[in-house]
Amino acid sequence: MNYKPTIQEKILSIFTPVRCLNEQQLQQYVDGNIPSFEKHLLQQHLVDCELCSEALEIFYQKSNREKFNEIIPGIRRQIHKEFLQIVPVATPAVKKVKTLKKEQLREKLLIYSWTILLAAICIGGLSFLIYHYNYTNSYGNGSRSLPVAAGKADSSGTADNSAVPVARNTNLPAHIPAHNPAALQENGHAVLSQENKIAGLVTPRPKETPPHHKDSIQAAFIKPGTRTLKKETAIAAAATVRKRLKEDSISGSVSPGEGHPAAGTPLKNDTDLGDGQPVRKVPVAKQPAPDSVENAPPQTDPDEILYTSAKNYLAQGNVESAMSRFKFLATNAGNKYYQQAKFQLALCYKAKGKTNRARKLLKEIVDGNGSMKAQAEAELSNLQ
Amino acid sequence: MPGYQHLKNLSDKELLLRIEKHSEIEAIGILLERYSHLIVMVCLKYIDEAGVAAATKKILQQLNIDLQNYHIDNLNNWVYRLVRQYCQAQRTSPNSPSLSQSKRESTEESRMPAVNVSAWSSAEKEKMIGRLQTVFNTLPKEEQDCINQFYIRGKTFEEIALQKNLPAEIIKKNIREGKRKIQAAVL
């Protein structure tokens, strides 16, 4: 039900106080966007209020409104700060812009961080691949350094003894003649060349897999306990070695003499080895003749080849290579050269100054009650 | 700030009372905020744009002092006088405009006291209406007509101006003059 004021009440409205126009009312009044009853009410105020009348007069001009809009926010902020302690709140439009900017910044940071992470992963992966490639490559090429080492050895009779430091060690087994380094070196050279011949028999493998020259040795070293050398290849390799040895002996480059540890040739004396077991099944000749090499049965046992080559390395002074082969042979207790290899390894440790390790190995040999027990005890007493 | 909205809804009179009794800073802030936009607009009329902000701040500072030191009935008129005084002082001595408080006080005393019609009883209202009609009849015809059209009929300035074929400012002036005479005679 609409209330209609009486005339008397309308007359009394002369005294009705009306508050000054706020900013919104000013704007609505100027724009004409105001209901008529509200406009009338504001006009009742404008009758008496000079402040609002003048302000309205100025507000009608658009240029003044723009100036006003520039000035008033700072004034209000200061009033809020000094009197009302109100933290200024951004207007919705400003808030929106700020939110948008924040979101954009967040997105950018996210993109950058993901890019950096991806780049780091790629670089890490590439580095790993390069390292892995280099590792396999270097390991595959490692065995090919033998010819270089052999080539360094002087084939003349006046070889530098310093190239064979181990040979001077009196603790070495007697079969390694310290007084004939030339023979040693030559022999070593011959042995090594035989190894190269063996390597030549085998088709060179791609770089990913280690080559098979001394095939059984390298492959066996990679996978201890497994025999990857094929029997046929071993037989062929042994035959070539015998042939070469025969040629060498005929040409006189190799003087069969005491301590002639050629690969595939019978050693003159079992005891000279320091082991109690014959190296080969064939009876050993005291003075190996040139033709004894030809008549000697081929070495088919890869362990035997490994052991012999290790001994040869030792004779040349290449203790590390010898040790690696002895280690391999010493890992398998069922190996026929287990005791000898272990003993030789202990001697190598002793030669390198690692007496504790040598002592440990010798004790193991003694405790094992093997074929090398006596020698091990003797060495142990020497160490103590 | 708790109570900010509550203070914002109070009338000038109630806020002035709070200031007078308790010197409430928040009440002063509400009043300053309420009149700041009007001060800026009036300053734009009399002062260059570059000096309006500084002038507004100075006026508000003075108003803050006045609110705490004086009993003010019609704040809008007080503010208007303050602004006009500052603007005039700015013209005469731009470097150091002085604001004489005595001028504002004298102007305030000449103003009609605020009337609270709602507090009257019905008998008082009837008595007042009788007196109003008596004084109304003594007004010039133009002022009578304008007041009649404006207050009784509820027409706006523009409607009355259109009807009488006069500028709206003249209508407003007639209504103002008539109202002042009535108030002076009755109150």
Side-chain angles (χ1 to χ4, degrees):
Chain A
M1 181 172 137
N2 294 332
Y3 169 73
K4 288 188 178 178
T6 60
I7 295 173
Q8 289 83 359
E9 285 172 346
K10 287 182 182 177
I11 291 171
L12 288 173
S13 65
I14 290 174
F15 304 112
T16 305
V18 180
R19 202 183 286 184
C20 284
L21 275 67
N22 58 30
E23 196 179 327
Q24 188 182 0
Q25 285 171 333
L26 273 174
Q27 187 71 48
Q28 287 174 343
Y29 192 96
V30 166
D31 294 339
N33 187 18
I34 188 169
S36 59
F37 72 90
E38 193 171 340
K39 187 175 183 181
H40 188 266
L41 195 65
L42 295 179
Q43 284 182 346
Q44 286 183 32
H45 176 75
L46 290 172
V47 168
D48 293 321
C49 185
E50 289 163 310
L51 182 65
C52 292
S53 298
E54 283 203 25
L56 197 64
E57 184 187 325
I58 303 301
F59 208 75
Y60 268 111
Q61 298 174 26
K62 196 177 179 183
S63 60
N64 287 335
R65 263 185 279 177
E66 288 171 359
K67 293 172 192 174
F68 168 80
N69 287 330
E70 287 174 10
I71 296 167
I72 198 63
I75 302 290
R76 290 251 164 88
R77 215 178 294 127
Q78 196 162 353
I79 293 170
H80 286 171
K81 186 181 169 186
E82 289 181 16
F83 295 92
L84 302 173
Q85 297 175 357
I86 292 174
V87 175
V89 178
T91 59
V94 174
K95 255 188 188 175
K96 203 175 177 184
V97 168
K98 280 187 179 176
T99 313
L100 201 64
K101 280 186 180 175
K102 269 187 185 175
E103 280 178 10
Q104 283 175 354
L105 189 67
R106 203 178 296 144
E107 274 178 21
K108 276 185 187 174
L109 284 172
L110 207 64
I111 290 167
Y112 291 151
S113 55
W114 274 114
T115 309
I116 290 167
L117 193 67
L118 207 63
I121 290 169
C122 288
I123 290 168
L126 274 171
S127 306
F128 176 75
L129 282 171
I130 290 167
Y131 171 75
H132 184 68
Y133 176 78
N134 285 338
Y135 176 76
T136 52
N137 237 11
S138 64
Y139 186 81
N141 288 334
S143 57
R144 291 195 186 279
S145 63
L146 289 173
V148 178
K152 282 184 181 176
D154 194 356
S155 59
S156 65
T158 57
D160 184 11
N161 291 335
S162 62
V164 192
V166 178
R168 291 191 172 276
N169 193 337
T170 54
N171 287 328
L172 282 174
H175 73 278
I176 299 173
H179 61 278
N180 193 3
L184 265 177
Q185 289 175 15
E186 286 174 356
N187 206 1
H189 178 70
V191 169
L192 289 170
S193 63
Q194 289 161 18
E195 290 184 358
N196 290 341
K197 291 286 182 184
I198 294 169
L201 284 174
V202 180
T203 309
R205 294 289 178 89
K207 285 187 181 178
E208 298 81 55
T209 59
H212 273 247
H213 69 82
K214 214 59 169 156
D215 300 332
S216 60
I217 297 165
Q218 197 71 22
F221 189 72
I222 293 170
K223 296 179 185 178
T226 61
R227 301 292 172 93
T228 57
L229 178 67
K230 293 182 183 175
K231 213 168 186 179
E232 303 84 351
T233 312
I235 293 167
T240 312
V241 167
R242 280 186 286 110
K243 193 177 178 183
R244 184 57 190 267
L245 277 174
K246 180 184 174 184
E247 287 170 1
D248 290 338
S249 62
I250 290 168
S251 64
S253 60
V254 175
S255 58
E258 200 172 284
H260 184 190
T265 60
L267 296 164
K268 66 160 192 167
N269 197 349
D270 293 345
T271 56
D272 288 339
L273 267 176
D275 55 16
Q277 290 180 4
V279 176
R280 300 172 353 126
K281 292 177 184 175
V282 178
V284 177
K286 286 191 180 178
Q287 289 273 338
D291 58 346
S292 66
V293 175
E294 193 176 18
N295 293 332
Q299 284 185 341
T300 59
D301 188 5
D303 294 339
E304 186 180 347
I305 295 172
L306 195 65
Y307 182 78
T308 313
S309 70
K311 294 288 287 295
N312 288 329
Y313 275 126
L314 199 60
Q316 292 163 27
N318 192 347
V319 182
E320 292 296 331
S321 302
M323 277 178 71
S324 63
R325 283 154 179 81
F326 285 136
K327 272 183 191 173
F328 171 71
L329 289 169
T331 52
N332 187 8
N335 193 332
K336 129 172 122 173
Y337 290 97
Y338 173 73
Q339 293 287 330
Q340 293 95 317
K342 213 167 182 178
F343 182 76
Q344 291 297 327
L345 189 62
L347 293 179
C348 289
Y349 276 131
K350 185 184 166 186
K352 287 190 86 174
K354 297 179 181 176
T355 52
N356 288 336
R357 280 196 188 181
R359 200 178 288 120
K360 186 182 170 187
L361 278 173
L362 291 168
K363 277 183 184 174
E364 284 176 13
I365 296 168
V366 170
D367 294 339
N369 280 329
S371 58
M372 301 297 291
K373 182 181 177 181
Q375 288 84 357
E377 280 174 349
E379 278 303 321
L380 209 55
S381 62
N382 284 340
L383 277 173
Q384 289 168 357
Chain B
M1 183 189 123
Y4 169 72
Q5 286 299 327
H6 168 68
L7 286 174
K8 211 174 175 183
N9 294 331
L10 294 178
S11 65
D12 289 358
K13 190 177 177 182
E14 288 164 326
L15 290 169
L16 288 166
L17 197 63
R18 280 177 173 245
I19 296 166
E20 204 171 315
K21 281 190 174 181
H22 309 294
S23 299
E24 277 190 25
I25 302 291
E26 291 83 13
I28 295 172
I30 294 290
L31 285 175
L32 295 180
E33 188 188 21
R34 194 174 281 179
Y35 286 94
S36 58
H37 64 289
L38 298 170
I39 294 168
V40 169
M41 293 308 293
V42 176
C43 284
L44 277 171
K45 185 178 178 182
Y46 299 106
I47 302 174
D48 293 337
E49 182 191 348
V52 168
T56 306
K57 284 176 188 174
K58 287 208 171 161
I59 293 167
L60 288 171
Q61 283 171 6
Q62 186 59 48
L63 185 59
N64 176 28
I65 297 167
D66 291 350
L67 286 171
Q68 295 179 59
N69 295 324
Y70 293 95
H71 175 78
I72 302 169
D73 284 326
N74 293 309
L75 186 55
N76 54 342
N77 293 323
W78 186 285
V79 170
Y80 180 70
R81 294 298 161 197
L82 180 61
V83 172
R84 287 299 303 272
Q85 193 180 358
Y86 183 87
C87 294
Q88 283 172 2
Q90 184 77 9
R91 283 182 184 176
T92 53
S93 54
N95 293 330
S96 56
S98 62
L99 294 167
S100 170
Q101 292 166 355
S102 59
K103 282 190 179 178
R104 292 194 296 285
E105 283 181 67
S106 60
T107 309
E108 179 64 18
E109 285 169 1
S110 64
R111 289 290 171 187
M112 291 287 163
V115 178
N116 189 5
V117 177
S118 58
W120 291 350
S121 62
S122 54
E124 284 175 335
K125 280 182 185 176
E126 282 183 16
K127 188 180 175 184
M128 186 57 65
I129 289 166
R131 289 171 70 180
L132 278 171
Q133 281 182 330
T134 308
V135 175
F136 181 79
N137 294 331
T138 62
L139 290 174
K141 191 181 177 183
E142 283 298 321
E143 290 177 9
Q144 278 186 19
D145 198 24
C146 289
I147 288 173
N148 184 37
Q149 296 286 334
F150 187 73
Y151 285 105
I152 308 300
R153 303 279 176 121
K155 289 186 181 177
T156 61
F157 297 152
E158 290 77 20
E159 289 169 346
I160 300 169
L162 192 66
Q163 183 184 346
K164 289 181 175 294
N165 200 20
L166 289 170
E169 283 301 316
I170 302 293
I171 304 300
K172 183 180 168 184
K173 183 186 168 187
N174 287 335
I175 295 169
R176 183 167 60 236
E177 290 297 322
K179 184 180 174 181
R180 283 180 184 175
K181 289 171 184 175
I182 291 170
Q183 282 183 333
V186 169
L187 295 175

